[in-house]
Amino acid sequence: MSLLTVGLFVGFGLLIGTLFGFFGMGGSFLVTPALLVLGYPANVAVGTGLAFVFGTSVIGALRHRNHGQIDYTLAALMTVAMTAGIEVGKRTVFLLDALGAADAVISTAYVGLLAVVGLFTLRDARRDTDAGGLDLADRVQAVELWPMVSLRGGSRVSAWVIAVVGVAIGVLSGLLGVGGGFLLMPAMMYGLGVPAAVAVGTDILQITISGAFGAFVYAREGAVALPVAGALLAGSGLGARIGAGATSLVDEGDIKGYFAAMLLAGSLAVAAKYLSTPLGVPALETVSIVLVFGAALFVSAAVVLSAVCALRTGGTGHWCRVVGSGG
Amino acid sequence: MIELLGIEAIGNVVRAASTVGAVLAEALVLYVAYGLLTRVAEPVVRETIEGV
């Protein structure tokens, strides 16, 4: 790996770390598609994405532990369920790889998932209501299947419900190489009724554990590019602190629209990359790279600029007005 | 042959554990190093931005 490539990965890690620190999710969501776009084999892209997520979430979990924002019982139950799910997901990836269908299935699943979550976030940013989520939590807590577990924030949920949610998220995590934060966070907040701050802390601890296990099983097969994960982590460690610092200055709702746009751009990037060969249009690969890196750069810049505007008294400059209209 | 496969399997586990250990070690070093850097640089950066 050349020095320029290392520099690019560190820079990309810085952008992703800023997003992870600010939104509490979005780590491997961009790393795995980026590595796919750069031509890494699907299993190496997934394995390296998991190793990177593990390292980044270690740093995040240490910060949340200091603030008492972790539900250890919920994290332990989710760990067991997600571990089983990740093993299933990983076996599926290697089976698909042997059948020569891994790239097609993973790329298609990514396109669909990024598009769905992106559209959901966009709708949430426009409506800004969680009434439906509260209904769901009430219905989930009404399932009284022994044993019941008391969670921080006062809710009581059946351990079986937690197990089913954990296995489902684990399968997706192992299949796509994502930490699962973008699914765990809404599942814990809207599904299990856990307070937002505790959901973020527990989510990051959970991602740390599942990321470690995921990285281990992929590394056992030689499918982790350690220099790539290391370079990304060097950038994301600093970015995570910048993003976390920005949370005390900027309202997440103001930036949600940008985040949704980033997810949709990621979806288009993977689709463009996948279609470039069958359609015989190599330019689509360039479009794909520009979309992935451009979206991460754009949203990170919006986060940092919003924080700078919040610090400066007034914050009425041209760029502050532009960035303020994105939520 | 079985012995060779056994050694290979152990080698894979050791390699995987080393990979996870290396990522963990880097994360802990970065947590401490960037923590110190933030503590030193944050007041200066805030002051500079607020003063602009």
Side-chain angles (χ1 to χ4, degrees), chain B residues 6-41:
Chain B
I7 289 168
E8 193 187 340
I10 292 170
N12 289 345
V13 170
V14 170
R15 181 179 59 189
S18 308
T19 302
V20 174
V23 174
L24 177 63
E26 185 184 348
L28 293 175
V29 169
L30 290 174
Y31 177 72
V32 174
Y34 286 145
L36 290 172
L37 179 68
T38 309
R39 197 175 296 174
V40 173

Side-chain angles (χ1 to χ4, degrees), chain A residues 202-316:
Chain A
T202 308
D203 165 49
I204 292 180
L205 175 66
Q206 178 53 47
I207 293 170
T208 305
I209 298 164
S210 60
F213 181 73
F216 180 83
V217 294
Y218 274 87
R220 213 171 47 194
E221 311 292 337
V224 172
L226 193 54
V228 175
L232 286 165
L233 187 56
S236 74
L238 182 60
R241 285 192 175 268
I242 294 171
T247 54
S248 62
L249 298 167
V250 184
D251 179 11
E252 189 186 328
D254 293 343
I255 309 277
K256 230 180 223 175
Y258 291 114
F259 187 64
M262 184 182 68
L263 297 177
L264 293 171
S267 171
L268 286 175
V270 178
K273 159 77 178 169
Y274 182 65
L275 290 173
S276 66
T277 309
L279 293 181
V281 186
L284 281 176
E285 292 220 12
T286 312
V287 170
S288 178
I289 292 170
V290 169
L291 276 170
V292 169
F293 288 92
L297 181 64
F298 178 69
V299 181
S300 309
V303 168
V304 173
L305 192 58
S306 298
V308 169
C309 289
L311 273 176
R312 290 173 62 176
T313 45
T316 52

